[in-house]
Amino acid sequence: MVVFRALGPEAAFVTIAFLAFMMLLGYYAYRKRVGFTLQDFFLASKLLGFLILGLSLFAVQYSGNSFIGYAAKSYRAGAFFLAYPAFMIALLIGILLLAPPLINLGSKRGYTSPGDFLEDRWLGYKPLIIITLICLFWGAFMQFFEQFYAMGYLGSELSGGVLSWEVMVILYSIAVIAYILLGGFRGAAIVQAVQGAIMLAGLVLMLTLLPAAFGLSYSEAFQKLASIAPAKVAVPKKAILYNLWYSVIVLVMLGAILYPQMIQHYLAVRNPKTLKRMITIMFPCYFFTATSLWLFGLFGAAVIPGLGKMESERVVPLLIRAIAGSGEVGYAASIVVTNAILCATLSTVGGCLIALGMLIAKDIYKRFVNPVAPEARAINISRICMIIIVIAGTIAALRPVATIWRLTEIKFELLMQAFTPVVLGLYLARLRPKPVFIGCLVGLVLAVSLTVAGMPKPYGIHAGLWGLIANLAISLGGSYLTKPTEEELRRGQEIIRDSKIFKGAT
């Protein structure tokens, strides 16, 4: 008989001790700062090694919404959501498209934020810079916002209702703001690297102990799923579902690489050799994690059938409670797994928060509001804004209004409209600022309009992809059918040249 056991006071003690340790790491990072500068606060002066950056980037990308929301999507969609491991590997391809040239440019031309690249590449054309920053801000804030949902589901479910959704969200918020304000990007990256390692350990434990908790092997669970919900393991017969499958892969591949927290990691890399070493860490971590969470969703659909759309967000916490109820070893392991998911949540919250602070302080305040502001003032502005963002996110997340996966789709659909100015701007010298701005604006309007009109996926293709198609058509057509100025063409050529040349430290 399966017993769903809530975690007790000792689990809370471990979690509190863990949160305290995270804050201690933030203080350690504070002591290791190299001056009170924007480059040090937001990029750790490019002194972090490939292991820290690789694990940190992995932890930032895999979040609480992955553990809670993506596994729940697998529960609802069945084997069809094998798109999940596929789009996470596609994401690495996207990283290789954007990161190497941006690392070279950042080192040669001294970028410390996305806004530095945008102003340089697009000759200070404010409408394009602002609309691109809005897309980037939206992506980071929505990723940040999703984590609060995951915090609430995880805490309230595993505590057996002893701690409410609201209490868990507030406690986690206090912890993450503490180590971010202390350590900046250095503190966030060090903490996130530790969290990434704990995440991997938690996944291994959960994969190992789930079959024993339910008395079913994975193959037996899938056979059971085939008997009670055959549609979840059947090959899709409708062409529109295949369109949706490919649409999801492209949506994530072209959207997730544009997270400002990921761009921040690219700019913090010293040289492309460091990136290559990071990828050797990230590839197996990405594949293993995505495949594991996909399996958890399918396993949950077999052993805990009947959860509704919103209820399915509870599937991973319920699986952990079953492990906790399987015996004392399972109970101890469930505490580790719980903290692994907590790591996934807090690492992403931290990464998003420091990136949002960077966008506000460096790319908006210091660029458009007060260009002569001292760097120390800009850093303090970012800290104040981060506190406000945490409070806003906490309040907004106290009552869930959609599934985490739907929030993820909406996030990428608008974020990916920045693909043209950020990514294509690295490769196409003929692109002109005004057509690219109009393309981004039309893409955003089309994506939002289709969603509001109740057509979020025409022909199985996400509204954001339709928006990007229009975006590309206008940006490319407007740029190549009109003659660029000498300055526009020269700047484009300079960017492409410098993106291929690296003269920094090895």
Side-chain angles (χ1 to χ4, degrees):
M1 180 179 177
V2 178
V3 177
F4 293 93
R5 180 182 177 184
L7 302 185
E10 60 280 353
F13 174 79
V14 172
T15 298
I16 291 171
F18 170 73
L19 293 177
F21 176 63
M22 296 297 103
M23 292 185 226
L24 183 63
L25 286 178
Y27 178 70
Y28 167 80
Y30 173 77
R31 295 291 302 271
K32 291 293 183 179
R33 68 192 186 281
V34 182
F36 200 55
T37 65
L38 288 171
Q39 187 182 58
D40 190 68
F41 190 76
F42 291 123
L43 298 182
S45 297
K46 299 193 177 187
L47 296 177
L48 298 178
F50 77 94
L51 184 61
I52 294 291
L53 286 172
L55 284 174
S56 174
L57 192 54
F58 159 67
V60 165
Q61 185 59 50
Y62 275 100
S63 51
N65 68 309
S66 302
F67 278 79
I68 303 299
Y70 291 11
K73 178 63 177 178
S74 294
Y75 179 98
R76 296 189 298 270
F80 173 78
F81 202 58
L82 189 59
Y84 179 26
F87 69 60
M88 292 310 298
I89 297 304
L91 170 58
L92 289 172
I93 297 173
I95 289 174
L96 292 175
L97 182 68
L98 174 59
L102 199 57
I103 290 169
N104 287 334
L105 282 168
S107 296
K108 185 173 180 62
R109 301 174 81 96
Y111 301 154
T112 59
S113 67
D116 288 343
F117 164 70
L118 293 171
E119 182 165 344
D120 188 25
R121 173 62 180 90
W122 304 112
L123 300 169
Y125 185 60
K126 288 185 179 180
L128 179 56
I129 295 171
I130 290 171
I131 198 171
T132 306
L133 290 176
I134 289 172
C135 291
L136 298 181
F137 187 93
W138 167 266
F141 182 76
M142 287 300 292
Q143 177 78 338
F144 171 82
F145 177 68
E146 291 164 4
Q147 307 317 305
F148 285 82
Y149 275 25
M151 289 178 189
Y153 279 119
L154 178 67
S156 60
E157 186 66 43
L158 293 177
S159 69
V162 174
L163 297 177
S164 67
W165 172 293
E166 293 82 359
V167 169
M168 295 306 300
V169 168
I170 292 169
L171 285 177
Y172 293 161
S173 301
I174 292 172
V176 73
I177 195 68
Y179 71 75
I180 290 295
L181 293 185
L182 274 174
F185 179 76
R186 179 180 287 101
I190 293 172
V191 170
Q192 286 154 195
V194 173
Q195 291 167 334
I198 296 173
M199 284 165 54
L200 293 172
L203 280 172
V204 172
L205 279 174
M206 193 167 175
L207 275 172
T208 304
L209 296 175
L210 260 184
F214 286 90
L216 287 175
S217 66
Y218 285 103
S219 61
E220 290 169 339
F222 298 154
Q223 290 173 7
K224 180 179 179 180
L225 181 61
S227 65
I228 63 175
K232 291 189 175 183
V233 295
V235 175
K237 295 181 180 179
K238 296 181 179 179
I240 194 171
L241 293 178
Y242 289 98
N243 291 345
L244 179 60
W245 201 83
Y246 292 117
S247 179
V248 168
I249 293 174
V250 175
L251 186 76
V252 177
M253 181 176 71
L254 301 186
I257 60 172
L258 296 169
Y259 278 141
Q261 59 269 29
M262 296 189 73
I263 294 176
Q264 188 174 23
H265 276 77
Y266 309 153
L267 294 176
V269 174
R270 296 178 66 190
N271 56 56
K273 291 182 180 179
T274 302
L275 177 68
K276 291 179 181 178
R277 293 173 180 173
M278 289 167 59
I279 293 293
T280 61
I281 295 172
M282 292 159 58
F283 181 88
C285 291
Y286 273 44
F287 181 74
F288 171 70
T289 304
T291 305
S292 298
L293 295 177
W294 175 75
L295 285 172
F296 295 159
L298 293 183
F299 192 90
V303 297
I304 315 173
L307 297 179
K309 187 173 183 179
M310 294 299 292
E311 286 182 315
S312 64
E313 306 281 90
R314 300 167 51 216
V315 65
V316 166
L318 287 172
L319 292 175
I320 296 173
R321 287 182 64 179
I323 292 173
S326 65
E328 293 308 312
V329 173
Y331 184 77
S334 68
I335 295 176
V336 176
V337 174
T338 300
N339 280 282
I341 303 178
L342 174 60
C343 286
T345 306
L346 292 182
S347 61
T348 303
V349 168
C352 292
L353 196 57
I354 191 69
L356 290 168
M358 173 185 65
L359 291 177
I360 294 171
K362 177 69 170 60
D363 289 339
I364 297 175
Y365 173 74
K366 194 159 172 55
R367 192 175 306 280
F368 298 116
V369 179
N370 188 1
V372 297
E375 293 195 350
R377 179 182 296 177
I379 291 171
N380 288 331
I381 290 289
S382 76
R383 285 171 165 162
I384 293 170
C385 291
M386 283 189 275
I387 293 173
I388 294 172
I389 290 169
V390 168
I391 294 172
T394 302
I395 293 172
L398 291 180
R399 287 291 178 267
V401 295
T403 65
I404 292 174
W405 174 249
R406 183 56 191 142
L407 291 174
T408 299
E409 290 179 310
I410 294 171
K411 167 186 65 185
F412 286 137
E413 292 186 70
L414 302 191
L415 176 60
M416 70 189 311
Q417 304 310 318
F419 179 81
T420 311
V422 176
V423 180
L424 292 189
L426 292 166
Y427 292 93
L428 301 177
R430 277 289 299 267
L431 284 183
R432 305 185 61 201
K434 289 184 180 179
V436 173
F437 163 70
I438 296 171
C440 290
L441 181 61
V442 170
L444 283 172
V445 171
L446 180 58
V448 172
S449 298
L450 287 172
T451 300
V452 171
M455 296 184 292
K457 301 180 184 73
Y459 302 103
I461 298 174
H462 289 81
L465 277 180
W466 290 113
L468 182 61
I469 291 170
N471 182 345
L472 292 172
I474 294 170
S475 298
L476 295 172
S479 295
Y480 282 86
L481 295 177
T482 60
K483 185 177 180 180
T485 66
E486 290 184 8
E487 187 178 16
E488 288 172 346
L489 186 58
R490 183 172 63 252
R491 182 56 52 83
Q493 291 171 340
E494 289 174 355
I495 291 293
I496 292 174
R497 180 197 66 207
D498 290 348
S499 71
K500 299 175 182 178
I501 300 173
F502 180 76
K503 296 182 179 179
T506 56

